[in-house]
Amino acid sequence: YQRRVHGDNMAAINVDDVEAGILNAYVHQIRRAERFIYIENQYFLGSSSEWSQFDDKNYNIEAKHRIPLELAMKIVAKIRQGERFALYILVPIHPEGVPEAAAVQAILFWQSETIKMMYKKIAEAIAKYGPQGAKPTDYLNIYCLGNKEPGFSQFTQTMSESQNLICRTRRHMVYVHSKMMIVDDDYIIVGSANINQRSMGGNRDTEIAVGCLEEGVRGQDGLGHGQVSGFRQSLWSEHLGKYLSDFGKPESLQCVNTINRLAEENWKVFSDSSDIVSLPHGHLLKYPYKINVEGEVTPVVDYIPDSEKEGALVMGKQPPITLQLLTT
């Protein structure tokens, strides 16, 4: 509905179109991006018409909003133009709930289909336009957050098997519930909208967001150098437990490689069940996807740590039709 104001009276009038302002803001800012994009979101799935094993005629998945496709095609355009661009995406290692639950596995499955689509398009662009020796992860990377707390573990008879396991491994994910995008350090959008169809479709969940453009702060490097930049670099410092000068050039391959190296070192410690030590670099983990030069996405480990017995797959599991609307 829209509200029409007549003096002191307000009347609601019916409108034919859904309100898709948040989706439109995301798409507009992705298209104007020049150097990099940083995203934090509880969910990341969409552009289902582009997923490799689905199509609208034979397997119609209602997750068609354009954000993942727009992001992938932004990178493709930059590769074609011979320019640098970096996209950083931070999500939880799994959505809220027990990771083996059918709904959680469904969301992880849709997420993996989305990521596969994006990496495939990026790899194809590199093969066609170069640069020689480039990898898809030079441009797009996915992360999550976790923690490991060494110390004395006290077990009791009242604890469940899963609780005892966590006490032994002393690790847990740090949940990502934010819904935020930063573009070129001069624009930020924050709100309640997840990157899924329920939030972005405009006709299902009710959402709110605020987008802020910081004018007059762009330098000759094409990046903002004001409050948005300061916030983003402070946030990255918190995630990695330290400030690095590379944060000032987030589009650079050097920055991408540095963050990936630290996040991979964190993942190695986090995933090691035998050695209970603190993560060396804050809380940022490389998401357990393995991407080759052809853009193929496979899991680094088959199961989410501490959920192996329950069969909670990192790449998720295709759900029955009854769960499709709920989980997209």
Side-chain angles (χ1 to χ4, degrees):
Y1 293 96
Q2 292 179 336
R3 290 192 179 273
R4 177 179 293 167
V5 180
H6 299 285
D8 294 331
N9 299 318
M10 297 186 70
I13 59 172
N14 207 0
V15 294
D16 295 329
D17 296 330
V18 298
E19 209 302 301
I22 299 175
L23 172 64
N24 293 338
Y26 269 80
V27 170
H28 175 73
Q29 295 300 326
I30 291 166
R31 291 180 179 181
R32 70 174 281 274
E34 290 294 335
R35 297 291 186 265
F36 85 102
I37 293 175
Y38 174 61
I39 290 173
E40 289 188 5
N41 209 281
Q42 183 182 11
Y43 302 115
F44 189 81
L45 61 95
S47 305
S48 57
S49 297
E50 300 290 324
W51 294 352
S52 59
Q53 60 177 305
F54 302 103
D55 60 64
D56 291 345
K57 292 181 180 179
N58 299 320
Y59 206 101
N60 191 1
I61 304 297
E62 287 296 332
K64 302 186 189 305
H65 75 87
R66 293 183 54 84
I67 290 174
L69 178 61
E70 291 283 346
L71 290 166
M73 296 314 294
K74 166 59 67 171
I75 294 173
V76 168
K78 288 295 183 179
I79 292 171
R80 185 173 62 247
Q81 295 161 8
E83 299 177 5
R84 273 297 304 162
F85 193 87
L87 171 57
Y88 306 85
I89 300 174
L90 179 66
V91 292
I93 194 169
H94 66 78
E96 57 189 324
V98 293
E100 69 271 16
V104 174
Q105 284 289 290
I107 294 169
L108 290 173
F109 181 75
W110 305 135
Q111 175 181 289
S112 65
E113 289 298 305
T114 303
I115 299 301
K116 287 178 185 178
M117 175 272 293
M118 296 175 70
Y119 272 120
K120 183 173 185 293
K121 292 185 180 298
I122 294 167
E124 289 173 348
I126 292 172
K128 186 173 183 179
Y129 303 111
Q132 187 175 2
K135 308 182 299 296
T137 50
D138 292 346
Y139 300 91
L140 166 62
N141 288 280
I142 318 296
Y143 306 92
C144 55
L145 297 176
N147 200 14
K148 208 166 187 180
E149 301 178 5
F152 176 72
S153 298
Q154 185 174 0
F155 303 96
T156 67
Q157 293 181 345
T158 59
M159 292 172 62
S160 67
E161 184 177 351
S162 60
Q163 288 172 328
N164 279 321
L165 178 60
I166 292 173
C167 280
R168 288 196 301 272
T169 62
R170 306 289 296 176
R171 64 187 169 200
H172 58 85
M173 73 169 174
V174 175
Y175 197 69
V176 178
H177 202 270
S178 51
K179 303 92 167 56
M180 176 188 72
M181 180 174 73
I182 293 174
V183 178
D184 289 345
D185 273 352
D186 70 350
Y187 178 85
I188 182 171
I189 184 169
V190 182
S192 67
N194 295 306
I195 298 181
N196 61 5
Q197 191 66 26
R198 287 178 55 171
S199 289
M200 294 298 176
N203 57 357
R204 292 166 69 177
D205 292 4
T206 300
E207 308 290 3
I208 189 170
V210 57
C212 301
L213 178 65
E214 191 176 7
E215 296 183 328
V217 297
R218 282 218 182 196
Q220 293 183 348
D221 58 0
L223 295 174
H225 294 274
Q227 294 187 33
V228 175
S229 175
F231 169 71
R232 193 263 308 165
Q233 294 191 59
S234 175
L235 185 60
W236 283 17
S237 299
E238 191 280 331
H239 287 336
L240 281 167
K242 67 188 81 174
Y243 172 77
L244 299 171
S245 60
D246 287 341
F247 293 170
K249 296 182 178 180
E251 83 286 3
S252 69
L253 186 56
Q254 180 175 323
C255 183
V256 170
N257 288 339
T258 297
I259 291 177
N260 282 345
R261 176 177 56 81
L262 299 177
E264 286 166 359
E265 289 175 7
N266 278 346
W267 172 261
K268 184 177 180 181
V269 173
F270 181 82
S271 59
D272 186 351
S273 301
S274 62
D275 193 9
I276 312 303
V277 296
S278 299
L279 303 184
H281 315 292
H283 306 290
L284 190 72
L285 310 174
K286 198 73 162 63
Y287 199 90
Y289 291 142
K290 182 165 54 178
I291 296 93
N292 65 16
V293 292
E294 286 80 31
E296 296 172 343
V297 181
T298 54
V300 173
V301 292
D302 289 331
Y303 301 102
I304 293 169
D306 298 331
S307 300
E308 293 86 354
K309 185 175 180 180
E310 292 78 11
L313 295 167
V314 165
M315 304 284 283
K317 187 181 300 182
Q318 184 173 336
I321 293 176
T322 53
L323 275 179
Q324 288 181 12
L325 191 64
L326 173 68
T327 58
T328 55

